[in-house]
């Protein structure tokens, strides 16, 4: 019983130290994409597409697991967002679509049916199909 009382007394003393004062503020800042170039591209594309949400890509996008016939596109957002991508060989109008249902902050979408040694263009979309980010990559032989 004494041990329990001592723990309760210590907790009460610590709690009272903040009585009448504001709780300490977190130094957490909103994450941004570490690449200034990528951030600039995203902001410009969202403006051109008329996107006015509070979602930002904070990491990526990156092409991973690149093979001659498939790849994974990954990125991270600061808030929950759609995992939708249009992709294809026509930069003006990519014809293929990939998505993962629901929303997430960690995005990983498989791009399938690719051709070897070909340049592919992709557009990361928001929930309404507007382009949040555009990029491209080359498949290996």
């Amino acid at each position: 019983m004494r041990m329990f009382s001592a723990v309760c007394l210590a907790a009460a003393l610590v709690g009272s130290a903040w009585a009448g004062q504001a709780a300490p503020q977190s130094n957490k800042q909103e994450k941004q994409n570490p690449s200034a170039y990528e951030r600039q591209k995203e902001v410009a594309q969202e403006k051109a597409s008329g996107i006015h949400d509070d979602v930002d890509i904070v990491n990526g996008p990156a092409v991973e697991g690149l093979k001659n016939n498939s790849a994974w596109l990954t990125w991270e957002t600061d808030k929950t967002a759609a995992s939708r991508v249009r992709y294809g060989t026509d930069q003006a109008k990519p014809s293929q679509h990939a998505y993962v249902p629901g929303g997430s902050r960690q995005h990983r979408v498989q791009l399938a049916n690719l051709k070897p040694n070909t340049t592919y263009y992709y557009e990361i979309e928001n929930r309404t199909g507007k382009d949040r980010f555009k990029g491209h990559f080359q498949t290996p032989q």
Side-chain angles (χ1 to χ4, degrees):
M1 183 66 175
R2 283 187 180 165
M3 179 66 130
F4 177 75
S5 297
V7 170
C8 289
L9 178 60
L13 290 173
V14 169
S16 68
W18 295 109
Q21 298 179 24
Q25 295 296 313
S26 168
N27 288 334
K28 181 183 173 195
Q29 296 178 358
E30 288 296 319
K31 285 178 71 177
Q32 290 187 331
N33 194 315
S35 167
Y37 176 72
E38 298 298 327
R39 262 195 327 272
Q40 183 180 13
K41 281 177 47 179
E42 176 193 6
V43 169
Q45 183 56 49
E46 286 182 346
K47 186 175 182 179
S49 295
I51 295 176
H52 301 291
D53 62 17
D54 290 337
V55 176
D56 287 314
I57 295 174
V58 295
N59 195 7
V63 178
E64 298 178 349
L66 183 60
K67 298 180 182 173
N68 63 3
N69 63 353
S70 69
W72 290 89
L73 187 62
T74 64
W75 69 98
E76 179 184 354
T77 52
D78 61 348
K79 295 176 183 70
T80 300
S83 297
R84 298 170 44 120
V85 178
R86 256 191 327 232
Y87 64 101
T89 57
D90 183 351
Q91 183 176 7
K93 193 169 186 170
S95 60
Q96 295 171 274
H97 206 166
Y99 72 97
V100 175
S104 179
R105 291 181 63 202
Q106 302 290 328
H107 307 272
R108 182 173 165 88
V109 177
Q110 185 175 29
L111 310 180
N113 301 316
L114 306 180
K115 295 177 182 171
N117 197 30
T118 304
T119 299
Y120 280 87
Y121 301 91
Y122 65 86
E123 300 172 354
I124 296 174
E125 302 176 316
N126 72 356
R127 290 189 190 284
T128 63
K130 293 182 178 180
D131 305 331
R132 183 176 305 285
F133 187 91
K134 292 184 179 189
H136 66 279
F137 64 93
Q138 175 87 24
T139 54
Q141 280 288 353

